[in-house]
Amino acid sequence: MTSENGHFLSILGASLRSVITGGAGFLGSHLADYLLSKGHEVVLIDNLVTGAKENIAHLEGNPKATFVEADICDPFDVAGPVDFVFNFASPASPIDFDRIPIEVMKVGSYGTHNCLELARRKGARFFMASTSEVYGDPHVHPQPESYWGNVNPIGPRSVYDEAKRYSEAITMAYRRHYGLDTRIVRFFNTFGPRMRLDDGRVIPNFITQALSGKPLTVYGDGMQTRSLGYYRDIIEGVYLLATSDYQEPVNLGTHDEYTMKDLATLIIELTNSSSVVAHLPELKDDPKQRRPDTTRAQTILGWSPKTPLAQSLGETIEFFRGKMGA
Ligand code: UDP
């Protein structure tokens, strides 16, 4: 089945086949569930450096799901037809940028290149999971897709920021040079069940700290802001973009912009915790404010997030409570 046939078959409602790299990760595994619910077959590739088999354990025995443990930094192939290649593989937590910086750079460069080659060989549509980090510590607020960003090319976050910027650049090069059918999403902060307990990002940190009665570690004065998107809304946006004709980058995120100090207070409230807030030194190059301009997603995809923050935080707190046995 060629891509054209594949897309034609989708109109007829027949099964499409999607490869998801990072398929055992937080967002990759949720995307797998969503695509399966739409009738896709999925091939999940992950080297489990930050992904976990337990995220996809429920798919065991599902004839429409295949798991391959492999590192996409090495050239790889997938037997049979492929209609979509979703490149979701990358460590994404700032603690990983210190812990495994070379892996982060390799997966965003060699890894993306290998995924593009797979899509080209298969005649598949290529979907790149990029990030609001391409805007760095932004001087424009909120951030529209047309903003080129303010990235420190040699700082501790640069391994992720520059690898994702490279990923976007090579995706567009494949589109211009080979006519590859491509999509690029820029995720803003996204959270939900299946994040790691020791992920290090703000939501898992604050929730696990609040549930265990430990101080919530706010870096710096806590006045830096983030907009918090729930995985369910974000994955719906991914699907709408993947099945649209739109080829420029699209931001997906919410307008729920919070200071980290207020977020800590909110999580203490929602967990009924007796924890206090402890301020730690600020992180280098930590973006001071971040909120997406989602006009493009709204007008082109008809997408906007639906889940209220209290509900999405509530579900995530329950997930971590279960995981911690708290
Ligand atoms: N943060 C914090 N305490 C933590 C973890 C994160 O104050 O225990 C802050 C961090 O400094 C940043 C924001 O929360 O300003 C979001 O951090 P995260 O690591 O979740 O993702 P980022 O948006 O920085 O990639």
Side-chain angles (χ1 to χ4, degrees), residues 21-70:
T21 72
F26 160 52
L27 279 179
S29 65
H30 284 302
L31 176 64
D33 289 345
Y34 194 85
L35 293 179
L36 284 163
S37 79
K38 295 282 179 191
H40 283 223
E41 236 183 88
V42 294
V43 178
L44 311 178
I45 304 179
D46 207 301
N47 67 350
L48 303 176
V49 67
T50 53
K53 272 198 179 159
E54 67 174 302
N55 288 340
I56 50 171
H58 60 287
L59 299 180
E60 222 162 280
N62 185 330
K64 290 196 141 192
T66 308
F67 174 67
V68 181
E69 187 170 341

Side-chain angles (χ1 to χ4, degrees), residues 63-259:
K64 290 196 141 192
T66 308
F67 174 67
V68 181
E69 187 170 341
D71 185 347
I72 63 161
C73 296
D74 302 321
F76 66 97
D77 204 3
V78 171
V82 175
D83 300 289
F84 291 90
V85 175
F86 289 91
N87 185 20
F88 275 53
S90 179
S93 171
I95 58 168
D96 297 326
F97 309 163
D98 286 331
R99 192 173 62 92
I100 43 174
I102 310 305
E103 283 87 339
V104 173
M105 292 226 74
K106 282 176 73 179
V107 76
S109 51
Y110 300 123
T112 298
H113 192 185
N114 289 330
C115 292
L116 284 159
E117 277 300 307
L118 176 71
R120 190 160 82 94
R121 281 198 307 277
K122 299 287 183 178
R125 183 173 288 180
F126 176 78
F127 188 104
M128 181 66 214
S130 186
T131 167
S132 56
E133 284 283 328
V134 301
Y135 303 124
D137 189 4
H139 288 154
V140 171
H141 191 73
Q143 295 83 53
E145 290 86 349
S146 54
Y147 178 50
W148 289 358
N150 173 43
V151 172
N152 174 354
I154 57 166
R157 302 177 84 96
S158 66
V159 293
Y160 187 64
D161 300 7
E162 297 292 13
K164 289 290 188 183
R165 287 168 72 98
Y166 172 90
S167 287
E168 289 199 12
I170 193 170
T171 298
M172 295 305 276
Y174 264 68
R175 177 158 90 82
R176 283 190 293 263
H177 194 68
Y178 294 121
L180 191 72
D181 188 15
T182 60
R183 304 288 180 275
I184 297 174
V185 68
R186 291 182 182 150
F187 293 127
F188 283 63
N189 293 65
T190 306
F191 70 95
R194 298 189 192 161
M195 292 183 97
R196 292 170 289 163
L197 278 174
D198 60 353
D199 179 280
R201 280 177 286 185
V202 69
I203 296 282
N205 271 11
F206 283 0
I207 292 179
T208 55
Q209 288 161 346
L211 290 178
S212 51
K214 294 189 181 137
L216 273 64
T217 53
V218 171
Y219 303 149
D221 63 7
M223 294 312 288
Q224 68 274 33
T225 67
R226 294 294 187 273
S227 305
L228 301 162
Y230 198 42
Y231 81 92
R232 228 177 5 236
D233 293 329
I234 301 298
I235 292 295
E236 278 177 14
V238 165
Y239 186 76
L240 289 172
L241 177 59
T243 52
S244 78
D245 289 332
Y246 195 71
Q247 305 222 350
E248 298 287 311
V250 175
N251 289 337
L252 289 180
T254 68
H255 296 170
D256 287 332
E257 185 181 357
Y258 278 79
T259 66

